[in-house]
Amino acid sequence: MRENEFTIPDPPDNDRPNDQWLGESDQQPSLTWFGRRRRWYWGGGVGALVLSVCSIWFIPSAVLFKPGELSSPHAQILAGSVGSERCAACHDSESLNVTAWFSSASETPGHKGVKQSDRCLNCHHRTINTNLARAAHNLPKSVRDELTESFRLAAADKFRSGEGPGFQLSQLVSTGTSIDQDDIECSVCHREHHGADGHLLAVTDNQCQTCHAVQFGQFDRSHPQWGQWPYGRGGSIAFSHASHQNKHFPGWQNGSLRFDCNRCHPDRKVVAGLQTNRRGELLRTVAFETGCAACHESSMQTTIGPGIELLAVPSITTETAARQKNWPESATGFIDGRISPLMELLLRSDKQAAESLHQIPDGELSSLNPENIKSEAISKSVAEATVRLIDEISQQGHLAIKNRLATAGTINHPLGSVLRTLPPQLIIDARREWFKPKAASADIKEALRLQSQVRQVVADDDDLLSEDSSLLNSDSLLLESSDDELLIDPLASSPSDDPLIEHTEPELTPLNVSPEFDAGTMAGEGGWYRDDLRLAIRYRASGHTDPVLKGLIEMFSGLSDADPLKERFMNVPAVKACVDCHSGATRLPASWEAIPSVGGKRDFTKFSHRPHLNVSQLGQCTYCHKVSEGHGDVEGEHDPSLVDFEPLERQTCAACHTKNAASDSCTTCHRYHIEH
């Protein structure tokens, strides 16, 4: 039978649609299909509700509401924790209650006034400044505004010069108005509970470009050119490739030696265990002993010369010296002398001399006008302050120097390397030798003069005095001789003074020590010494890596760049020999080593040679670093800012850094967290 021929019976009169019961009023009612289905729905719903309540009641909430597995770093840290303890390490325990899941964060006691970023900083406070954790790039607003302005000016210059579209640079650091740059949560970029393989540091380009106004496309077409990077950054050691290649190693020019970068930039596998290789990078340069000493050791010894002056007695006029007790005669006559930077730093704590020091140009007393009455007062003030300084060190030793430097503002600098080599006895002996009492010295000279005018003789019998001689009542036994020489009674003379008695003891020859001390010969290995000719205490460095010289440079590096004393000290020949190469030591924290060029934590751009050297084609440095033809140091002077390599261009990197090759993601070369 066909479907259209099937006869459907008429429904009963008492069966209405959606009616729960079926049947007449006088008969036993029965449930319709719709009624039975409704009962099943209600029964299943109540059963599910009962099962859910039982699950919430008996199953821990940390297991029941688990959003996902932790990433490997956090999972390893919390490997020994289970249940609620595991969650409570990052989430407040009160927020793990069942009721907390159905209330807002502001009402939950564990979350009230506390953001999730605060929980993150409980562990990461050592690497991220808690005060700047939510600020964009962890930089304060003033620094961000300064960077924005510098980008804007650079963009304007590029636009005026026609070098490129300046608007990209100007808008590179601009952000949308809807983003609060001072309240960015950690979870915006770092998402947890994405499994053990989830990468917390993986940030997409879309996340970066959410804040920046410029929407970049592919790296090789839309990324701005970076100009002189990386050569404009400089380094902790000033060095010119051009001057060394053209001046110091001419053999590389005529072809007798092969110009090989690996001579000075060895691989970490070749030079293992060095501190500068701790990041697995190429060495910025070899050690001084193996790469530089052959040429620079002898010149360094010559430059060190007499060394650094701790203190020196200035020369003053005779009138001023007469008013000073026991002032040295060798420092008397006219105003002269030089106040060394170290001595001036020690004298700054002397309030009586501080004003006078400011009136002496470059510490040169000879530059004062001798006809000016103020010059006399200035030299007198400096002379008195010098005596007080020497007396304090003679009485208190190292403590006197520490107290004076603390007053000068260098208390935070460790002075152990400087003071442990300075013997206080050196200052005490210098004080005793330079400031001898004048009275005792005059008596000795007068006695020597009288001794040259007195001659001892042997008297004859006729020369003996009788008892009635009037000379017996004289107060003196000295007789006037015919040659106007004074005679002395031989009986009053010592037997040893008798010229007739033969002397058997040999005469002692005094040690003839010149007051001029040759530091190069006598103190060739370095150390503190006393210069009696100049009346000075000096230190001669022992050579490269001298600890005292290094400590003094770091101490003066703590002074303000506007302080002329800092510039004077850095121009001392012994110091200049250090800072000409170690330019990073003139500011704190001082940098003495050539650290790997991977980009410091204060840089937005990061770079590492290590993954690039794994590519055989990039094993040769000149593949990326093109040497400029004919570019060199013409005058032969050392110029740290000299660029002797062609700057890297974007296309050099874009040849490999594509989406399907070495990655062209923003975070490949740029870091977000900047250490300020």
Side-chain angles (χ1 to χ4, degrees):
M1 180 181 292
R2 297 181 180 180
E3 182 179 356
N4 57 357
E5 297 177 354
F6 183 77
T7 302
I8 301 175
D10 296 332
D13 296 337
N14 58 355
D15 189 7
R16 296 185 297 271
N18 297 329
D19 197 357
Q20 183 177 2
W21 300 99
L22 176 66
E24 300 295 336
S25 58
D26 57 348
Q27 297 178 357
Q28 181 67 26
S30 61
L31 286 173
T32 64
W33 170 248
F34 177 78
R36 291 192 296 270
R37 186 178 62 179
R38 180 179 293 182
R39 284 193 175 186
W40 280 108
Y41 284 162
W42 276 102
V46 173
L49 179 62
V50 173
L51 182 62
S52 300
V53 172
C54 294
S55 300
I56 295 175
W57 185 265
F58 293 104
I59 301 176
S61 57
V63 178
L64 184 64
F65 298 102
K66 187 175 183 179
E69 295 291 339
L70 292 174
S71 60
S72 296
H74 288 165
Q76 293 176 3
I77 296 174
L78 302 175
S81 303
V82 293
S84 60
E85 296 180 358
R86 188 181 181 92
C87 299
C90 297
H91 302 281
D92 195 281
S93 57
E94 296 183 8
S95 64
L96 300 177
N97 296 330
V98 176
T99 56
W101 289 86
F102 302 98
S103 59
S104 63
S106 59
E107 298 174 355
T108 305
H111 281 168
K112 189 174 183 179
V114 179
K115 295 185 177 181
Q116 187 59 43
S117 296
D118 296 325
R119 310 292 298 179
C120 299
L121 292 173
N122 288 340
C123 295
H124 296 278
H125 64 280
R126 294 183 179 273
T127 55
I128 300 177
N129 188 343
T130 56
N131 297 324
L132 299 173
R134 294 189 185 89
H137 296 289
N138 304 136
L139 295 177
K141 187 177 185 302
S142 58
V143 177
R144 298 198 306 268
D145 293 342
E146 183 179 351
L147 290 173
T148 303
E149 181 64 15
S150 63
F151 271 88
R152 188 190 67 80
L153 295 176
D157 293 340
K158 290 179 70 67
F159 181 77
R160 284 193 296 266
S161 61
E163 296 180 5
F167 72 92
Q168 285 191 345
L169 285 177
S170 63
Q171 297 178 351
L172 184 60
V173 292
S174 301
T175 59
T177 56
S178 61
I179 299 174
D180 187 358
Q181 296 188 48
D182 295 312
D183 191 16
I184 302 176
E185 295 295 325
C186 301
S187 57
V188 172
C189 298
H190 306 292
R191 294 289 184 175
E192 186 51 279
H193 297 294
H194 282 202
D197 296 332
H199 189 20
L200 290 174
L201 302 181
V203 180
T204 64
D205 290 350
N206 291 333
Q207 287 176 295
C208 297
Q209 298 187 33
T210 300
C211 299
H212 295 275
V214 177
Q215 300 295 313
F216 295 112
Q218 293 183 357
F219 168 73
D220 59 342
R221 290 197 296 268
S222 63
H223 192 284
Q225 289 284 358
W226 44 71
Q228 295 296 328
W229 189 90
Y231 306 113
R233 295 186 303 166
S236 57
I237 296 182
F239 183 82
S240 170
H241 286 89
S243 63
H244 282 75
Q245 179 182 354
N246 299 334
K247 175 183 176 182
H248 301 294
F249 300 100
W252 289 349
Q253 292 294 319
N254 57 33
S256 59
L257 290 177
R258 177 175 172 269
F259 186 83
D260 188 3
C261 302
N262 293 326
R263 288 177 179 267
C264 296
H265 301 279
D267 189 89
R268 65 183 179 90
K269 298 179 180 178
V270 179
V271 186
L274 291 182
Q275 183 180 1
T276 52
N277 251 341
R278 57 186 177 271
R279 298 183 185 178
E281 267 293 298
L282 288 178
L283 287 179
R284 291 288 298 274
T285 184
V286 294
F288 174 84
E289 290 74 15
T290 58
C292 309
C295 298
H296 292 280
E297 184 68 35
S298 58
S299 61
M300 180 178 296
Q301 291 296 330
T302 303
T303 307
I304 287 174
I308 298 179
E309 201 169 79
L310 172 64
L311 56 87
V313 178
S315 178
I316 56 179
T317 61
T318 305
E319 293 77 7
T320 305
R323 294 190 291 268
Q324 304 297 322
K325 183 179 179 181
N326 303 328
W327 190 259
E329 292 185 4
S330 59
T332 305
F334 53 90
I335 300 176
D336 194 14
R338 177 185 299 133
I339 303 176
S340 67
L342 184 54
M343 179 177 174
E344 182 173 337
L345 187 63
L346 293 173
L347 291 179
R348 280 185 174 181
S349 61
D350 195 323
K351 297 181 180 179
Q352 302 179 23
E355 184 63 29
S356 299
L357 293 174
H358 291 296
Q359 304 180 47
I360 304 176
D362 296 330
E364 293 285 351
L365 289 169
S366 59
S367 61
L368 297 175
N369 186 2
E371 298 179 357
N372 192 341
I373 191 173
K374 290 184 62 177
S375 301
E376 190 81 12
I378 292 174
S379 62
K380 178 177 179 293
S381 175
V382 172
E384 293 174 348
T386 302
V387 175
R388 288 194 293 270
L389 173 62
I390 296 176
D391 287 344
E392 284 187 20
I393 300 177
S394 300
Q395 296 171 5
Q396 304 177 22
H398 295 167
L399 182 60
I401 299 178
K402 285 184 177 180
N403 292 338
R404 283 181 173 259
L405 292 178
T407 306
T410 58
I411 185 60
N412 294 327
H413 181 269
L415 299 174
S417 60
V418 178
L419 297 180
R420 73 169 56 98
T421 60
L422 175 62
Q425 292 87 344
L426 180 65
I427 313 297
I428 297 174
D429 293 341
R431 174 73 172 86
R432 186 182 297 113
E433 180 67 23
W434 296 342
F435 298 91
K436 290 181 179 179
K438 291 184 178 181
S441 177
D443 293 343
I444 294 175
K445 291 183 178 181
E446 182 65 19
L448 294 176
R449 187 185 66 81
L450 293 176
Q451 185 177 0
S452 64
Q453 297 179 357
V454 175
R455 180 167 55 90
Q456 297 177 351
V457 299
V458 178
D460 298 333
D461 294 339
D462 297 337
D463 294 331
L464 296 178
L465 299 178
S466 59
E467 294 180 0
D468 58 350
S469 174
S470 61
L471 294 176
L472 290 175
N473 298 326
S474 176
D475 295 335
S476 175
L477 296 178
L478 298 178
L479 301 177
E480 184 176 357
S481 62
S482 58
D483 57 353
D484 296 330
E485 290 184 347
L486 296 178
L487 301 179
I488 191 168
D489 188 357
L491 298 179
S493 302
S494 173
S496 60
D497 296 332
D498 194 341
L500 299 180
I501 300 177
E502 183 179 0
H503 293 277
T504 58
E505 298 180 0
E507 296 184 1
L508 298 177
T509 303
L511 181 63
N512 184 19
V513 179
S514 173
E516 184 176 0
F517 185 85
D518 187 1
T521 303
M522 302 292 289
E525 297 300 325
W528 296 94
Y529 68 94
R530 189 183 79 202
D531 185 355
D532 291 333
L533 183 64
R534 175 70 175 83
L535 300 183
I537 302 295
R538 291 194 179 96
Y539 178 81
R540 177 179 170 85
S542 58
H544 192 257
T545 67
D546 183 84
V548 175
L549 195 57
K550 180 180 178 181
L552 291 174
I553 292 175
E554 291 183 358
M555 182 175 69
F556 275 87
S557 297
L559 299 179
S560 172
D561 292 337
D563 193 336
L565 192 61
K566 179 178 180 179
E567 182 179 359
R568 279 181 52 203
F569 178 80
M570 296 303 173
N571 286 323
V572 173
V575 178
K576 197 171 186 299
C578 298
V579 298
D580 275 352
C581 291
H582 297 278
S583 57
T586 59
R587 53 189 177 272
L588 294 180
S591 176
W592 295 92
E593 295 181 348
I595 60 176
S597 180
V598 296
K601 291 185 177 180
R602 288 187 173 93
D603 299 330
F604 280 98
T605 304
K606 59 182 179 179
F607 178 83
S608 175
H609 282 92
R610 178 52 45 204
H612 294 80
L613 295 179
N614 294 331
V615 182
S616 59
Q617 190 176 9
L618 302 180
Q620 184 64 28
C621 301
T622 54
Y623 183 85
C624 296
H625 301 279
K626 307 295 184 182
V627 181
S628 300
E629 295 294 336
H631 189 81
D633 195 352
V634 179
E635 299 179 359
E637 297 180 357
H638 184 70
D639 185 4
S641 62
L642 184 64
V643 178
D644 41 38
F645 286 96
E646 294 180 359
L648 290 176
E649 297 181 353
R650 181 184 63 194
Q651 296 303 324
T652 304
C653 301
C656 298
H657 284 277
T658 62
K659 184 176 182 179
N660 298 324
S663 175
D664 60 352
S665 174
C666 299
T667 56
T668 302
C669 301
H670 298 289
R671 57 167 54 90
Y672 176 86
H673 295 282
I674 308 300
E675 186 179 89
H676 180 63

